[in-house]
């Protein structure tokens, strides 16, 4: 029952209007081996590679399982496809395209050829930022009509919307995972 309460609290924190049973159902369907031929329902293959790497960076394996161990990229994909409304889906998809474009420009290579170190270096540019820049990003994300922003601000808005969506769903899946819950209970 503790797990259901955690899901409910996390959904409220994320501002999502989706039932706990929906989240647990989606999470439960992600427990299979990642190599079983599962096909992304929301992200195209290059976008899904980005999501998979982001999950691994946001939730690396430590003394307990990491995001990749739990196949949370699948969870993020299914949540994005199932929970987000059409407008938010379009914004997240555009954000993933901005991510890929900026990444490929920065490293002068296709995303398919990127290493984990490339992803870590790129994410650091956007997530390891000073407090004043962080406040600017949060203010930007509070924008109700991003299309009224300058072109560069629109691109930033889309990129950060994508990153925060992937991060939020990654953490939601992780902290509501039965495996993580069991491990936390063992440690306490």
């Amino acid at each position: 029952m503790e797990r259901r309460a955690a899901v409910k609290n996390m959904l409220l924190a994320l501002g999502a209007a989706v039932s706990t049973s929906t989240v647990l159902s989606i999470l439960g369907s992600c427990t299979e081996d990642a190599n079983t031929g599962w096909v992304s329902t929301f992200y195209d293959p290059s976008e899904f590679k980005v999501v998979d790497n982001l999950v691994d960076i946001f939730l690396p394996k430590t003394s307990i399982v990491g995001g990749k161990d739990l196949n949370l990229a699948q969870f993020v994909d299914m949540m994005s496809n199932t929970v987000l409304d059409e407008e938010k889906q379009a914004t997240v998809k555009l954000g993933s395209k901005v991510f890929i474009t900026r990444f490929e420009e920065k490293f002068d290579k296709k995303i398919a050829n990127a290493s984990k170190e490339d992803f870590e270096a790129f994410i650091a540019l956007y997530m390891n930022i000073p407090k004043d820049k962080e406040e600017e990003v949060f203010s930007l994300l509070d924008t109700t009509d991003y299309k009224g922003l300058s072109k560069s601000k629109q691109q930033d808005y889309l990129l950060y919307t994508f990153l925060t969506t992937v991060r939020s769903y990654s953490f939601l899946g992780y902290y509501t995972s039965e495996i993580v819950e069991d491990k936390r209970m063992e440690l306490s």
Side-chain angles (χ1 to χ4, degrees):
M1 193 54 93
E2 211 174 296
R3 188 167 167 237
R4 286 191 180 276
V7 172
K8 183 178 178 186
N9 290 337
M10 289 189 78
L11 288 172
L12 290 173
L14 292 172
V18 63
S19 72
T20 302
S21 60
T22 300
V23 173
L24 293 176
S25 172
I26 291 172
L27 187 60
S29 66
C30 298
T31 58
E32 294 182 27
D33 181 16
N35 299 319
T36 60
W38 180 83
V39 178
S40 174
T41 57
F42 183 71
Y43 296 103
D44 70 31
S46 59
E47 294 166 341
F48 188 75
K49 177 181 171 104
V50 170
V51 170
D52 193 44
N53 277 281
L54 290 176
V55 166
D56 194 33
I57 291 167
F58 294 149
L59 294 162
K61 184 175 186 164
T62 59
S63 60
I64 59 174
V65 297
K68 273 194 162 204
D69 300 318
L70 299 171
N71 298 321
L72 290 182
Q74 291 179 14
F75 178 74
V76 171
D77 179 73
M78 290 190 293
M79 289 292 287
S80 298
N81 192 50
T82 306
V83 175
L84 299 178
D85 64 34
E86 287 182 19
E87 183 178 341
K88 185 74 171 195
Q89 284 180 336
T91 303
V92 169
K93 287 287 275 182
L94 288 171
S96 69
K97 302 285 187 221
V98 171
F99 182 101
I100 291 169
T101 300
R102 287 185 178 180
F103 183 97
E104 290 178 347
E105 288 172 356
K106 168 114 179 104
F107 292 101
D108 195 28
K109 65 168 94 169
K110 292 292 185 189
I111 204 95
N113 301 325
S115 67
K116 182 177 179 182
E117 291 75 23
D118 293 335
F119 278 100
E120 288 172 340
F122 190 71
I123 291 302
L125 295 172
Y126 294 97
M127 302 300 265
N128 297 342
I129 55 178
K131 191 75 169 161
D132 61 325
K133 176 70 174 163
E134 187 178 288
E135 289 172 10
E136 189 180 309
V137 169
F138 287 131
S139 177
L140 179 66
L141 288 173
D142 282 341
T143 303
T144 54
D145 180 22
Y146 81 90
K147 293 177 182 170
L149 299 169
S150 70
K151 178 91 168 144
S152 67
K153 290 288 184 190
Q154 283 182 21
Q155 299 296 300
D156 288 344
Y157 174 87
L158 294 168
L159 176 70
Y160 278 108
T161 297
F162 168 68
L163 289 173
T164 57
T165 299
V166 172
R167 185 178 64 183
S168 295
Y169 285 149
S170 296
F171 283 108
L172 175 63
Y174 188 80
Y175 287 109
T176 56
S177 165
E178 216 170 321
I179 294 167
V180 173
E181 179 68 25
D182 291 346
K183 189 65 167 174
R184 284 186 16 217
M185 297 301 274
E186 285 176 20
L187 296 174
S188 60

